[in-house]
Amino acid sequence: MAKNRSTFICQSCAAISTQWAGRCEACGEWNSIIEELQNTGVGSGPKATKASGKPAQLSSLSGKPEDAERIISGLAELDRVSGGGFVKGSTMLVGGDPGIGKSTLLLQAASALANKGYSVIYISGEEAIAQVQLRAKRLGLANSPVKLASETNVEIILSTLEHQNGADLVIIDSIQTLWTERVDSAPGTVTQVRTSAQALTRFAKKSGAAVVLVGHVTKDGQIAGPRVVEHMVDAVVYFEGDASHTYRILRAVKNRYGATDEIGVFEMTQKGLSEVSNPSALFLDQRDESATGCAVFAGMEGTRPLLVEIQALVAPSPLGTPRRAVVGWDSSRLSMILAVLETHCGVKIGANDIYLNVAGGLKISEPAADMAVAAALISSLTNRVLPKEAVFFGEISLSGGTRAVVHSALRLREAAKLGFTSAYSGKFSSEKTNAAIKLIEFADLLALVSKIGSFKDG
Ligand code: TYD
Ligand code: MG
């Protein structure tokens, strides 16, 4: 038997070294290296059995394409993100900040499925049974036949699951609390989290149950975050949102059985999470239509159009170096648009303080927001109100020209659905649309600037 050896594992990137250091050489993280005993551990897998050495059976790519069997929760937003329901025999990781609502969401899904007659097991490693029961009571789910356990030992969990033959869905809340006897390190360390996740993934494949692992992520790179198991699982979704808003976004970042970049929108209420089937209406809810500096951006989240309001405030700066404050967008992208406005459009804006905000706390990463941002900036600078029934989208290039963006037709259809009557866009792609909306195309940013100059004062 191999001698017990210590290895030093970075808890942030999982790099292994033979001695301790204050800073991980691989990822540059400080104070992230922890000593772990390595007699078995990462990569060693289950103890060797008699079967080892037996050749595996190889097959061809052209086998019978069996559609993955899915269990549909009936929570439409969740099913959309998972690509049409949980896949049997697969593992899904649900990550998110502590307190964001992961346990609430999964308890609601568990109860919905149990009510449909599926066998659902919910294992809570964080909360005692009474706490989960209390939550279920508050959510009005206490009568659903979910099988509940509070346990953190992986071996006990596995034997429980094997005993409960034929579970359809198993929820493990959370992966960070699990520990397995197979490795010696403390719960929550990379080795423990990985070995536990490996064991549960193997269980999913073997038993055909859909396994959902909950994992916490924290901004300060908490020990052994779910990142270290992302490659093992079949799907990774993150639950996001911020404490000051009630809506929550479920976002797929990896999915072996469906599209990524899909989002599901929920609202946290007194009675748990409720689905938001028309998120654009939610984000445009408190719009001030007569204010300057506000432009509605027709954006996309995955395959789904989403309208949001972009707010800009341009104010004379008392400082030598003007302030730039951006919430929900990329600040270097803002600098680029300001430079294009100065250089190609003759707009003197750079010496002002500039504040940019995406309403509702949403984060936008699409370059298609360029035109909406530029429109909001010019509207605030020149004190002109943008037409309240107009949406904006289009990418701006460094030369001052505009570029077509993807999914124009979907954006237009969503805008038309919400009662907008005109769309200010960059060069339009060849996508055909029959949405009842007037399309106004701009070949360059200068044309948009002069158009805004013709609007009425605020
Ligand atoms: P929780 O699901 O425990 O978060 P996580 O499992 O991601 O750590 O959610 C906890 C938060 O949700 C808590 O701050 C209170 C809030 N909440 C509601 O607003 N309404 C509810 O009905 C429930 C159950 C929770
Ligand atoms: Mg929880």
Side-chain angles (χ1 to χ4, degrees):
M1 185 171 157
K3 222 169 67 193
N4 277 10
R5 256 183 323 122
S6 279
T7 45
F8 295 85
I9 303 184
C10 170
Q11 304 295 302
S12 136
C13 71
I16 298 175
S17 48
T18 49
Q19 58 185 12
W20 189 85
R23 182 168 188 247
C24 172
E25 289 202 349
C27 68
E29 193 70 39
W30 287 94
N31 245 339
S32 62
I33 294 182
I34 281 187
E35 180 179 5
E36 295 189 7
L37 277 174
Q38 193 76 8
N39 52 353
T40 49
V42 181
S44 61
K47 292 216 174 84
T49 60
K50 290 236 168 58
S52 57
K54 207 170 96 190
Q57 205 167 8
L58 304 177
S59 34
S60 75
L61 283 174
S62 62
K64 263 192 282 144
E66 286 166 45
D67 243 15
E69 193 190 335
R70 293 189 182 263
I71 41 182
I72 299 164
S73 70
L75 298 171
E77 297 291 302
L78 175 63
D79 291 336
R80 176 211 311 279
V81 175
S82 58
F86 298 109
V87 177
K88 296 206 76 177
S90 81
T91 322
M92 176 192 261
L93 173 71
V94 178
D97 294 339
I100 204 74
K102 301 179 294 296
S103 306
T104 309
L105 176 69
L106 290 170
L107 191 62
Q108 287 180 242
S111 142
L113 283 166
N115 288 344
K116 285 188 180 181
Y118 288 105
S119 161
V120 181
I121 301 180
Y122 188 105
I123 308 232
S124 176
E126 295 190 343
E127 290 163 294
I129 290 189
Q131 282 175 295
V132 184
Q133 286 169 337
L134 193 70
R135 184 199 300 259
K137 189 167 168 223
R138 247 212 349 241
L139 296 172
L141 309 172
N143 293 326
S144 12
V146 175
K147 297 177 201 122
L148 182 64
S150 178
E151 184 52 60
T152 54
N153 180 308
V154 175
E155 281 72 31
I156 298 181
I157 292 177
L158 288 176
S159 81
T160 314
L161 297 179
E162 269 147 28
H163 191 70
Q164 286 287 332
N165 225 340
D168 295 300
L169 176 69
V170 177
I171 294 167
I172 309 281
D173 188 2
S174 69
I175 184 76
Q176 270 107 343
T177 54
L178 297 192
W179 64 281
T180 161
E181 290 153 14
R182 210 180 281 150
V183 292
D184 288 335
S185 38
T189 52
V190 169
T191 313
Q192 280 287 3
V193 167
R194 278 219 278 215
T195 315
S196 307
Q198 237 164 24
L200 289 161
T201 311
R202 223 176 301 123
F203 165 80
K205 293 218 173 80
K206 201 171 72 188
S207 71
V211 172
V212 177
L213 306 174
V214 175
H216 293 291
V217 263
T218 48
K219 295 196 177 64
D220 54 340
Q222 196 220 327
I223 288 187
R227 303 230 159 244
V228 297
V229 300
E230 275 186 359
H231 66 281
M232 279 179 224
V233 297
D234 298 299
V236 178
V237 303
Y238 278 101
F239 206 33
E240 320 168 331
D242 65 87
S244 50
H245 294 93
T246 54
Y247 74 85
R248 302 281 182 267
I249 291 179
L250 191 64
R251 194 185 290 277
V253 293
K254 163 180 172 179
N255 196 348
R256 289 185 182 147
Y257 300 98
T260 50
D261 280 342
E262 279 299 347
I263 65 160
V265 184
F266 296 88
E267 197 171 2
M268 183 60 98
T269 67
Q270 289 297 318
K271 290 219 117 306
L273 290 154
S274 67
E275 300 174 58
V276 177
S277 51
N278 188 354
S280 299
L282 176 78
F283 288 114
L284 292 180
D285 186 25
Q286 291 158 31
R287 186 158 81 98
D288 182 359
E289 293 170 346
S290 58
T292 59
C294 298
V296 176
F297 166 50
M300 294 293 296
E301 283 286 350
T303 56
R304 184 178 206 192
L306 186 62
L307 303 191
V308 280
E309 186 189 24
I310 295 192
Q311 303 164 344
L313 177 64
V314 180
S317 178
L319 306 169
T321 314
R323 279 187 68 108
R324 303 275 183 269
V326 186
V327 179
W329 207 50
D330 181 7
S331 56
S332 53
R333 196 96 200 159
L334 172 68
S335 307
M336 187 204 101
I337 291 187
L338 294 175
V340 173
L341 281 171
E342 291 258 354
T343 317
H344 295 291
C345 310
V347 178
K348 294 274 165 283
I349 191 170
N352 295 288
D353 283 343
I354 293 172
Y355 304 90
L356 190 79
N357 180 32
V358 178
L362 200 72
K363 285 187 189 62
I364 296 180
S365 54
E366 262 194 302
D370 291 353
M371 292 257 302
V373 170
L377 289 169
I378 301 162
S379 158
S380 175
L381 178 75
T382 60
N383 199 33
R384 310 280 163 147
V385 182
L386 299 173
K388 66 173 194 291
E389 68 304 321
V391 295
F392 295 80
F393 63 91
E395 184 177 339
I396 293 168
S397 63
L398 285 178
S399 62
T402 61
R403 309 176 56 142
V405 297
V406 290
H407 299 309
S408 313
L410 277 174
R411 296 173 203 265
L412 293 177
R413 217 174 304 144
E414 175 80 356
K417 202 170 85 191
L418 281 146
F420 289 87
T421 55
S422 56
Y424 291 67
S425 84
K427 282 198 198 90
F428 203 62
S429 64
S430 50
E431 278 178 78
K432 285 272 173 293
T433 172
N434 41 17
I437 188 162
K438 191 165 132 224
L439 191 65
I440 305 160
E441 283 174 71
F442 295 89
D444 52 37
L445 188 54
L446 184 58
L448 179 68
V449 172
S450 39
K451 177 78 183 173
I452 293 174
S454 70
F455 295 149
K456 71 175 184 347
D457 275 357

